[in-house]
Amino acid sequence: RYLDTPGHWSPSKLVSTVLIPSTRIERIILVLDSTQSVSKAADYLYELLRQYQGTILVACHKSKEPKAKNVRRLKLQLRTELERLSQLDSSSTPPSDWDDILAQRVVLVSTSVDPPQLQELREYIETGKSISVSSS
């Protein structure tokens, strides 16, 4: 089974509606538009990392577009946003090293539909493993 949540949901609504009631979530894929700012995706990722203990695949979509940022740059921008969010979060102790958290629990892959670039995404959906995770 797959669940596609609306992008206009707030991160807290996603967690309270989808993650908290379900204990059987096996995989989470966060789709990020690599031609846009990462701030909204970072909000979701921050909340997911706080509430979900598994690996999260971030599909950096539209990666073949002329103005798309590459995975390395997106990862740096996400880390910066996660650091900012953790400093603003008074409800928890901020993690000491976002680099470690991202390396251990978040896999970023480039995806595109034109031309197709979906192999790593398919692998994760089918097996729960990413080519990037399995090689590390």
Side-chain angles (χ1 to χ4, degrees):
R1 289 178 39 189
Y2 299 94
L3 173 65
D4 180 11
T5 61
H8 64 273
W9 277 12
S10 68
S12 60
K13 183 172 184 173
L14 172 71
V15 171
S16 66
T17 306
V18 179
L19 290 183
I20 299 301
S22 175
T23 57
R24 299 195 57 217
I25 295 175
E26 295 179 20
R27 299 171 198 49
I28 292 182
I29 300 168
L30 177 65
V31 180
L32 165 80
D33 184 337
S34 59
T35 65
Q36 302 293 317
S37 167
V38 301
S39 59
K40 284 187 179 184
D43 288 341
Y44 278 94
L45 184 58
Y46 182 77
E47 200 61 39
L48 289 170
L49 288 167
R50 289 185 53 215
Q51 303 291 333
Y52 177 70
Q53 298 306 309
T55 301
I56 300 166
L57 184 120
V58 177
C60 303
H61 202 57
K62 299 182 185 177
S63 63
K64 297 294 183 181
E65 294 289 319
K67 294 185 180 182
K69 298 171 212 133
N70 64 34
V71 170
R72 174 181 265 164
R73 181 171 177 176
L74 291 168
K75 188 172 186 175
L76 289 172
Q77 289 179 342
L78 281 171
R79 185 195 68 208
T80 301
E81 283 294 313
L82 292 170
E83 288 171 350
R84 182 186 66 79
L85 290 167
S86 65
Q87 290 171 352
L88 296 172
D89 186 1
S90 60
S91 67
S92 64
T93 305
S96 58
D97 193 356
W98 281 105
D99 283 326
D100 285 345
I101 293 169
L102 289 172
Q104 294 170 10
R105 300 193 39 220
V106 178
V107 177
L108 282 82
V109 297
S110 295
T111 61
S112 177
V113 293
D114 189 28
Q117 185 180 357
L118 300 168
Q119 181 183 357
E120 289 180 287
L121 184 60
R122 279 193 193 109
E123 177 75 18
Y124 184 76
I125 290 169
E126 292 171 4
T127 68
K129 297 177 183 172
S130 168
I131 295 169
S132 301
V133 170
S134 61
S135 63
S136 58

